[in-house]
Amino acid sequence: MPNTVDPRVVDAAAGPGPAMPVGGSSGGRVLATGVRTAFDGVEVLHGIDLDVSPGEVVALLGPSGCGKTTLLRSIAGLERIAGGEITLDDRVVATAGHHERPERRRVGMVFQDWALFPHMSVGDNVAYGLGRAADRERRVADALEMVGLAGLHERMPATLSGGQQQRVALARALAPQPSVLLLDEPFSNLDTGLRVQVRSEVHRLLTGLGITAVFVTHDQEEAFVLGDRVAVMHDGHIEQFDAPAAIYEHPVSAWVAAFVGDANFVPGTATGTTADTLIGAVPLSDALTGAVDVLVRPEHLVVTADDHGIGVVGNVEYFGHDHMVQVDLDDGRRLASRAPGNPRVQRGQRVRLSCDGSASPAFAAE
Ligand code: ATP
């Protein structure tokens, strides 16, 4: 039996389900336990555990090829799973031996390329997933209103801007009143300025609807802005599943630390909650003993002009709201410091470095 199911069937999710009150909480729970998915016998998800609460927005974040889309498609029913279990609203929809078809799962899906039908009007695109539901017209109008496109149902997709087309795709996914919305890189086809604007609009919409949403992104900022929680994926595993601030401030591994932002790793020796490092004493967020690499985020690294300092400014980048200073240490290492306002040092100047006193995570040195 083929592993992969035709994605169009998700949009064909007819079945007038219970009405989803706009603005009310109507999200379902998504629970994946030990999920394994393989292609041609090669396993790409190695036992995924993910518990998404009703109404929560969760980002699947990770580098290319780590399995984000495969996990999303496994939840949607577009891929069969080889092990573990997926439940939606406490209903088992997938195990190795059981596969509920996508159109029965009450999930809405928004694809990276939006997958609009170019020969169909906006209204017909949105109605596509509604089958012969008696209140089709009202649902189309409601869905278009929800995404801020009321009155545009006669237009053809090609006459809309990228952002509007993306919202039509969203309206189409929402019209059948799914309990869970799945979005695969929904903003990647938009140029940078529009991307931020549409992202904010979608954020407001998802928060207002109270719908459960799981979305795929490889963009850390997007994951942090939109996600109530973020699942950081690496090589078919979830490395950490937590609120954005917890992931940024308390990453479980050096890999996660480096993936979710700029990271300086400063070698040192830990004794309890302090590490003695080449930039001086650094307070640690957890007690450790022995050789460690301390994570000092650039915003916690202080650069001060000093003729006897341990490095030389290699580069200064001014962004207006803040600036970055790259410092080349005498041992060949390069550390970055970020601070508000104007830079106080210039390229070629010798400097000393210190930590601003914030407690930092540390990892046993490899
Ligand atoms: P990207 O950010 O590049 O989209 P991703 O994290 O979403 O990556 P997946 O698309 O889930 O990753 O792919 C995970 C792994 O599974 C990759 O090695 C990919 O080549 C493989 N894979 C995905 N789909 C198939 C398929 N239909 N047949 C065979 N291998 C596949």
PDB file of all heavy atoms in Angstrom, residues 4 39-40 44 62-71 79 185 216 218, ligand 1:
ATOM      1  N   THR A   4       2.005   7.437   0.864  1.00  0.00           N
ATOM      2  CA  THR A   4       1.592   8.830   0.736  1.00  0.00           C
ATOM      3  C   THR A   4       0.190   8.939   0.140  1.00  0.00           C
ATOM      4  O   THR A   4      -0.142   8.229  -0.786  1.00  0.00           O
ATOM      5  CB  THR A   4       2.613   9.554  -0.155  1.00  0.00           C
ATOM      6  OG1 THR A   4       3.890   9.430   0.451  1.00  0.00           O
ATOM      7  CG2 THR A   4       2.275  11.006  -0.311  1.00  0.00           C
ATOM      8  N   PHE A  39       9.887   6.055   4.780  1.00  0.00           N
ATOM      9  CA  PHE A  39       9.677   6.038   3.330  1.00  0.00           C
ATOM     10  C   PHE A  39      10.530   4.919   2.759  1.00  0.00           C
ATOM     11  O   PHE A  39      11.743   4.895   2.992  1.00  0.00           O
ATOM     12  CB  PHE A  39      10.083   7.376   2.700  1.00  0.00           C
ATOM     13  CG  PHE A  39       9.226   8.529   3.149  1.00  0.00           C
ATOM     14  CD1 PHE A  39       9.709   9.448   4.073  1.00  0.00           C
ATOM     15  CD2 PHE A  39       7.937   8.695   2.663  1.00  0.00           C
ATOM     16  CE1 PHE A  39       8.930  10.509   4.494  1.00  0.00           C
ATOM     17  CE2 PHE A  39       7.149   9.755   3.074  1.00  0.00           C
ATOM     18  CZ  PHE A  39       7.639  10.666   3.991  1.00  0.00           C
ATOM     19  N   ASP A  40       9.893   4.020   2.061  1.00  0.00           N
ATOM     20  CA  ASP A  40      10.614   2.884   1.466  1.00  0.00           C
ATOM     21  C   ASP A  40      11.527   2.208   2.486  1.00  0.00           C
ATOM     22  O   ASP A  40      12.689   1.913   2.204  1.00  0.00           O
ATOM     23  CB  ASP A  40      11.448   3.336   0.251  1.00  0.00           C
ATOM     24  CG  ASP A  40      10.568   4.022  -0.797  1.00  0.00           C
ATOM     25  OD1 ASP A  40       9.419   3.574  -0.977  1.00  0.00           O
ATOM     26  OD2 ASP A  40      11.024   5.019  -1.393  1.00  0.00           O
ATOM     27  N   VAL A  44      12.233   8.160   8.970  1.00  0.00           N
ATOM     28  CA  VAL A  44      12.621   9.573   9.069  1.00  0.00           C
ATOM     29  C   VAL A  44      12.073  10.240  10.338  1.00  0.00           C
ATOM     30  O   VAL A  44      12.576  11.278  10.753  1.00  0.00           O
ATOM     31  CB  VAL A  44      12.229  10.401   7.818  1.00  0.00           C
ATOM     32  CG1 VAL A  44      12.884   9.835   6.573  1.00  0.00           C
ATOM     33  CG2 VAL A  44      10.749  10.502   7.635  1.00  0.00           C
ATOM     34  N   GLY A  62      12.924  23.488  12.692  1.00  0.00           N
ATOM     35  CA  GLY A  62      14.136  22.674  12.560  1.00  0.00           C
ATOM     36  C   GLY A  62      14.758  22.872  11.199  1.00  0.00           C
ATOM     37  O   GLY A  62      14.147  23.460  10.303  1.00  0.00           O
ATOM     38  N   PRO A  63      15.972  22.367  11.028  1.00  0.00           N
ATOM     39  CA  PRO A  63      16.659  22.548   9.740  1.00  0.00           C
ATOM     40  C   PRO A  63      16.038  21.687   8.655  1.00  0.00           C
ATOM     41  O   PRO A  63      15.267  20.766   8.940  1.00  0.00           O
ATOM     42  CB  PRO A  63      18.092  22.089  10.044  1.00  0.00           C
ATOM     43  CG  PRO A  63      17.973  21.190  11.221  1.00  0.00           C
ATOM     44  CD  PRO A  63      16.783  21.640  12.008  1.00  0.00           C
ATOM     45  N   SER A  64      16.390  21.984   7.429  1.00  0.00           N
ATOM     46  CA  SER A  64      15.853  21.254   6.285  1.00  0.00           C
ATOM     47  C   SER A  64      16.115  19.751   6.431  1.00  0.00           C
ATOM     48  O   SER A  64      17.210  19.341   6.806  1.00  0.00           O
ATOM     49  CB  SER A  64      16.537  21.785   5.024  1.00  0.00           C
ATOM     50  OG  SER A  64      15.987  21.150   3.910  1.00  0.00           O
ATOM     51  N   GLY A  65      15.063  18.964   6.183  1.00  0.00           N
ATOM     52  CA  GLY A  65      15.225  17.505   6.186  1.00  0.00           C
ATOM     53  C   GLY A  65      15.077  16.848   7.541  1.00  0.00           C
ATOM     54  O   GLY A  65      15.213  15.623   7.654  1.00  0.00           O
ATOM     55  N   CYS A  66      14.751  17.625   8.606  1.00  0.00           N
ATOM     56  CA  CYS A  66      14.682  17.015   9.943  1.00  0.00           C
ATOM     57  C   CYS A  66      13.363  16.282  10.175  1.00  0.00           C
ATOM     58  O   CYS A  66      13.210  15.574  11.168  1.00  0.00           O
ATOM     59  CB  CYS A  66      14.890  18.067  11.027  1.00  0.00           C
ATOM     60  SG  CYS A  66      13.522  19.222  11.175  1.00  0.00           S
ATOM     61  N   GLY A  67      12.382  16.465   9.278  1.00  0.00           N
ATOM     62  CA  GLY A  67      11.145  15.703   9.404  1.00  0.00           C
ATOM     63  C   GLY A  67       9.913  16.519   9.768  1.00  0.00           C
ATOM     64  O   GLY A  67       8.855  15.958  10.061  1.00  0.00           O
ATOM     65  N   LYS A  68      10.001  17.843   9.704  1.00  0.00           N
ATOM     66  CA  LYS A  68       8.866  18.695  10.099  1.00  0.00           C
ATOM     67  C   LYS A  68       7.631  18.420   9.252  1.00  0.00           C
ATOM     68  O   LYS A  68       6.538  18.184   9.765  1.00  0.00           O
ATOM     69  CB  LYS A  68       9.239  20.195   9.947  1.00  0.00           C
ATOM     70  CG  LYS A  68      10.482  20.618  10.666  1.00  0.00           C
ATOM     71  CD  LYS A  68      10.809  22.087  10.438  1.00  0.00           C
ATOM     72  CE  LYS A  68      11.168  22.476   9.015  1.00  0.00           C
ATOM     73  NZ  LYS A  68      12.462  21.948   8.534  1.00  0.00           N
ATOM     74  N   THR A  69       7.822  18.481   7.932  1.00  0.00           N
ATOM     75  CA  THR A  69       6.681  18.292   7.032  1.00  0.00           C
ATOM     76  C   THR A  69       6.129  16.878   7.151  1.00  0.00           C
ATOM     77  O   THR A  69       4.912  16.670   7.130  1.00  0.00           O
ATOM     78  CB  THR A  69       7.113  18.587   5.576  1.00  0.00           C
ATOM     79  OG1 THR A  69       7.468  19.974   5.503  1.00  0.00           O
ATOM     80  CG2 THR A  69       5.995  18.317   4.593  1.00  0.00           C
ATOM     81  N   THR A  70       7.014  15.910   7.321  1.00  0.00           N
ATOM     82  CA  THR A  70       6.557  14.521   7.457  1.00  0.00           C
ATOM     83  C   THR A  70       5.685  14.375   8.708  1.00  0.00           C
ATOM     84  O   THR A  70       4.653  13.691   8.685  1.00  0.00           O
ATOM     85  CB  THR A  70       7.771  13.568   7.523  1.00  0.00           C
ATOM     86  OG1 THR A  70       8.552  13.759   6.342  1.00  0.00           O
ATOM     87  CG2 THR A  70       7.332  12.124   7.613  1.00  0.00           C
ATOM     88  N   LEU A  71       6.063  15.046   9.790  1.00  0.00           N
ATOM     89  CA  LEU A  71       5.248  14.972  11.008  1.00  0.00           C
ATOM     90  C   LEU A  71       3.889  15.627  10.775  1.00  0.00           C
ATOM     91  O   LEU A  71       2.848  15.068  11.142  1.00  0.00           O
ATOM     92  CB  LEU A  71       5.993  15.636  12.179  1.00  0.00           C
ATOM     93  CG  LEU A  71       5.233  15.722  13.495  1.00  0.00           C
ATOM     94  CD1 LEU A  71       4.758  14.336  13.957  1.00  0.00           C
ATOM     95  CD2 LEU A  71       6.089  16.372  14.582  1.00  0.00           C
ATOM     96  N   GLU A  79       0.393  10.909   5.299  1.00  0.00           N
ATOM     97  CA  GLU A  79       1.384   9.828   5.359  1.00  0.00           C
ATOM     98  C   GLU A  79       0.881   8.795   6.354  1.00  0.00           C
ATOM     99  O   GLU A  79       0.290   9.151   7.375  1.00  0.00           O
ATOM    100  CB  GLU A  79       2.761  10.343   5.835  1.00  0.00           C
ATOM    101  CG  GLU A  79       3.332  11.520   5.075  1.00  0.00           C
ATOM    102  CD  GLU A  79       3.693  11.207   3.630  1.00  0.00           C
ATOM    103  OE1 GLU A  79       3.701  10.012   3.244  1.00  0.00           O
ATOM    104  OE2 GLU A  79       3.936  12.165   2.870  1.00  0.00           O
ATOM    105  N   GLU A 185       4.872  25.744   6.215  1.00  0.00           N
ATOM    106  CA  GLU A 185       5.631  26.927   5.749  1.00  0.00           C
ATOM    107  C   GLU A 185       4.691  27.939   5.093  1.00  0.00           C
ATOM    108  O   GLU A 185       4.883  28.312   3.934  1.00  0.00           O
ATOM    109  CB  GLU A 185       6.700  26.500   4.736  1.00  0.00           C
ATOM    110  CG  GLU A 185       7.725  25.527   5.278  1.00  0.00           C
ATOM    111  CD  GLU A 185       9.022  26.188   5.717  1.00  0.00           C
ATOM    112  OE1 GLU A 185       9.093  27.422   5.734  1.00  0.00           O
ATOM    113  OE2 GLU A 185       9.956  25.458   6.055  1.00  0.00           O
ATOM    114  N   VAL A 216       4.635  24.468  10.360  1.00  0.00           N
ATOM    115  CA  VAL A 216       6.033  24.140  10.080  1.00  0.00           C
ATOM    116  C   VAL A 216       6.779  25.392   9.660  1.00  0.00           C
ATOM    117  O   VAL A 216       6.275  26.184   8.866  1.00  0.00           O
ATOM    118  CB  VAL A 216       6.098  23.108   8.925  1.00  0.00           C
ATOM    119  CG1 VAL A 216       7.489  23.051   8.314  1.00  0.00           C
ATOM    120  CG2 VAL A 216       5.674  21.734   9.420  1.00  0.00           C
ATOM    121  N   HIS A 218      11.168  26.909   9.190  1.00  0.00           N
ATOM    122  CA  HIS A 218      12.581  26.756   9.543  1.00  0.00           C
ATOM    123  C   HIS A 218      13.116  28.103  10.024  1.00  0.00           C
ATOM    124  O   HIS A 218      14.303  28.272  10.238  1.00  0.00           O
ATOM    125  CB  HIS A 218      13.398  26.213   8.357  1.00  0.00           C
ATOM    126  CG  HIS A 218      13.300  27.050   7.135  1.00  0.00           C
ATOM    127  ND1 HIS A 218      12.438  26.759   6.105  1.00  0.00           N
ATOM    128  CD2 HIS A 218      13.911  28.193   6.808  1.00  0.00           C
ATOM    129  CE1 HIS A 218      12.543  27.708   5.196  1.00  0.00           C
ATOM    130  NE2 HIS A 218      13.418  28.586   5.593  1.00  0.00           N
TER     131      HIS A 218
HETATM  132  P1  ATP B   1      12.261  21.055   4.664  1.00  0.00           P
HETATM  133  O1  ATP B   1      12.385  22.177   5.670  1.00  0.00           O
HETATM  134  O2  ATP B   1      13.421  21.043   3.715  1.00  0.00           O
HETATM  135  O3  ATP B   1      10.937  20.984   4.004  1.00  0.00           O
HETATM  136  P2  ATP B   1      11.551  18.966   6.566  1.00  0.00           P
HETATM  137  O4  ATP B   1      12.137  19.139   7.927  1.00  0.00           O
HETATM  138  O5  ATP B   1      10.135  19.349   6.389  1.00  0.00           O
HETATM  139  O6  ATP B   1      12.479  19.680   5.498  1.00  0.00           O
HETATM  140  P3  ATP B   1      10.772  16.437   5.488  1.00  0.00           P
HETATM  141  O7  ATP B   1      10.259  17.028   4.219  1.00  0.00           O
HETATM  142  O8  ATP B   1       9.777  15.957   6.476  1.00  0.00           O
HETATM  143  O9  ATP B   1      11.771  17.442   6.206  1.00  0.00           O
HETATM  144  O10 ATP B   1      11.765  15.250   5.105  1.00  0.00           O
HETATM  145  C1  ATP B   1      12.383  14.418   6.094  1.00  0.00           C
HETATM  146  C2  ATP B   1      13.181  13.345   5.378  1.00  0.00           C
HETATM  147  O11 ATP B   1      12.273  12.467   4.702  1.00  0.00           O
HETATM  148  C3  ATP B   1      14.132  13.866   4.319  1.00  0.00           C
HETATM  149  O12 ATP B   1      15.296  13.105   4.352  1.00  0.00           O
HETATM  150  C4  ATP B   1      13.359  13.664   3.033  1.00  0.00           C
HETATM  151  O13 ATP B   1      14.252  13.465   1.961  1.00  0.00           O
HETATM  152  C5  ATP B   1      12.575  12.396   3.342  1.00  0.00           C
HETATM  153  N1  ATP B   1      11.307  12.338   2.596  1.00  0.00           N
HETATM  154  C6  ATP B   1      10.276  13.221   2.710  1.00  0.00           C
HETATM  155  N2  ATP B   1       9.251  12.874   1.889  1.00  0.00           N
HETATM  156  C7  ATP B   1       9.646  11.747   1.244  1.00  0.00           C
HETATM  157  C8  ATP B   1       9.038  10.884   0.260  1.00  0.00           C
HETATM  158  N3  ATP B   1       7.797  11.130  -0.194  1.00  0.00           N
HETATM  159  N4  ATP B   1       9.757   9.832  -0.181  1.00  0.00           N
HETATM  160  C9  ATP B   1      11.002   9.578   0.303  1.00  0.00           C
HETATM  161  N5  ATP B   1      11.622  10.337   1.220  1.00  0.00           N
HETATM  162  C10 ATP B   1      10.971  11.410   1.694  1.00  0.00           C
END
